Amino acid sequence: MPFKRSQSRNNVPVVEMTPMIDIVFLLIIFFMVAAQFAQQAKVELSLPSEFGEQKVTEQASMLIINITLNGELILDESKGVITRNELNAQLESLGQDGILWEDVTIRADRNASTEALNDVLSLLSKHGLKATKIATEIP
Amino acid sequence: MNFSPTGRAKKSSHAALNLSSMIDVTFLLLIYFIITTVIATPEDALIPALKAEKSSTTSQDNFEPQIIHVDTVNSVPVYQLGDRSFSTREQLAIVLEKLPKEPGVIFRVGNNLSVGFAIAAIQEARNAGFEKVTYVPKLP
């Protein structure tokens, strides 16, 4: 009587790792690509919560003037607070390169005093800028 | 001579790639990106025209833009158009809707207000359909 030799295999459950690795890599690529990495470090401010002009133009600004809650002026977070005279000098040097109003953006904290904003805008007006971009946070 | 049977299959040698370390690194990378990624708040901008404050007042005829003063009255921030004052942006919005749009509107903004209050006025002017919106900072 031919008996089949019992094939006592140890059936070890195998977890297929390949699809999981694919998903994990896709997730990594998603977080790398979909997240908006700021080109330059943005100063943490509570911008006015407004919809803005809602225009499509995404022209990067050459100069971003941040006005903090205390009325301090910051151009670059790594360089810290600057004075009005330093901002004036910066605008003069940009003026020699032919600065346009599109090149300047003001990011002012919504609870900051308009005194600082008015000061900066007066300075911009003095340098011949006919308009300005005031950043808002889309609600 | 002990020959191995011909029917017996040769053991094929596969190079085994141990993926467990790679999975560990991948998960670490994933956790790193999840933690460090800062989803930037979408920003937009308002683009008012700029004008320096002049000492001479403009005449209030039909072809001149309306001038709205954004200032404080008894420490209360208000929007003033002529002799009328509005403390909320909703009231300002109602008034702006009724104004003629073509001449535009000028906001003369004082120094003792919050930026949010002043910017709200510009936004309401845009919402009302004004294309010419001018921001005039008041000198101290």
Side-chain angles (χ1 to χ4, degrees):
Chain A
M1 289 172 80
F3 288 102
K4 251 188 183 177
R5 191 175 173 182
S6 64
Q7 295 173 344
S8 56
R9 285 183 190 170
N10 292 328
N11 288 325
V12 180
V14 176
V15 178
E16 276 293 321
M17 299 297 282
T18 315
M20 194 178 80
I21 295 167
D22 289 340
I23 294 295
V24 168
F25 273 120
L26 278 170
L27 281 172
I28 288 175
I29 293 165
F30 169 77
F31 277 104
M32 287 169 69
V33 172
Q36 292 180 23
F37 291 102
Q39 287 181 355
Q40 44 184 333
K42 285 189 178 175
V43 176
E44 284 290 323
L45 295 171
S46 300
L47 298 178
S49 184
E50 306 291 346
F51 285 99
E53 304 277 342
Q54 297 182 329
K55 286 181 182 169
V56 189
T57 51
E58 286 282 337
Q59 191 177 353
S61 297
M62 279 171 59
L63 182 65
I64 296 176
I65 304 169
N66 298 287
I67 303 174
T68 66
L69 181 63
N70 302 324
E72 294 165 334
L73 303 177
I74 299 176
L75 291 185
D76 186 350
E77 193 163 22
S78 59
K79 292 176 186 170
V81 177
I82 61 163
T83 62
R84 189 184 186 276
N85 292 335
E86 286 168 347
L87 177 62
N88 191 29
Q90 186 85 14
L91 288 169
E92 268 178 22
S93 69
L94 285 171
Q96 287 165 6
D97 300 331
I99 188 173
L100 302 170
W101 66 263
E102 294 99 333
D103 299 327
V104 181
T105 297
I106 298 174
R107 298 179 72 244
D109 193 289
R110 68 175 78 120
N111 295 316
S113 171
T114 45
E115 187 176 353
L117 179 62
N118 287 351
D119 200 18
V120 169
L121 293 176
S122 304
L123 206 56
L124 294 178
S125 187
K126 185 184 125 187
H127 284 274
L129 272 70
K130 301 294 178 199
T132 185
K133 286 196 284 187
I134 301 175
T136 61
E137 199 174 81
I138 298 175
Chain B
M1 291 169 96
N2 193 6
F3 290 106
S4 58
T6 53
R8 188 169 150 192
K10 266 189 180 175
K11 257 190 185 174
S12 57
S13 57
H14 296 283
L17 184 65
N18 196 342
L19 292 176
S20 55
S21 309
M22 194 178 83
I23 293 164
D24 289 339
V25 172
T26 305
F27 271 119
L28 277 169
L29 279 174
L30 183 62
I31 291 163
Y32 170 76
F33 279 113
I34 289 170
I35 291 169
T36 60
T37 296
V38 176
I39 307 295
T41 317
E43 290 184 12
D44 206 313
L46 285 166
I47 309 173
L50 268 185
K51 229 178 198 181
E53 192 181 27
K54 290 179 184 173
S55 55
S56 60
T57 54
T58 53
S59 60
Q60 294 276 339
D61 63 306
N62 288 337
F63 303 102
E64 291 288 330
Q66 291 290 326
I67 298 177
I68 297 176
H69 297 264
V70 186
D71 217 325
T72 50
V73 174
N74 299 330
S75 305
V76 176
V78 291
Y79 306 109
Q80 287 178 307
L81 176 61
D83 55 356
R84 290 184 292 171
S85 294
F86 321 102
S87 54
T88 65
R89 62 187 295 170
E90 288 79 16
Q91 291 171 328
L92 175 67
I94 293 168
V95 170
L96 286 170
E97 283 292 332
K98 296 174 186 170
L99 294 176
K101 309 294 186 287
E102 284 173 12
V105 63
I106 292 176
F107 289 102
R108 290 187 74 225
V109 181
N111 289 316
N112 299 321
L113 306 152
S114 66
V115 167
F117 191 80
I119 300 304
I122 297 170
Q123 182 69 67
E124 288 301 337
R126 288 287 187 220
N127 294 346
F130 282 91
E131 287 200 10
K132 296 177 198 171
V133 178
T134 307
Y135 186 113
V136 178
K138 271 191 189 172
L139 297 172

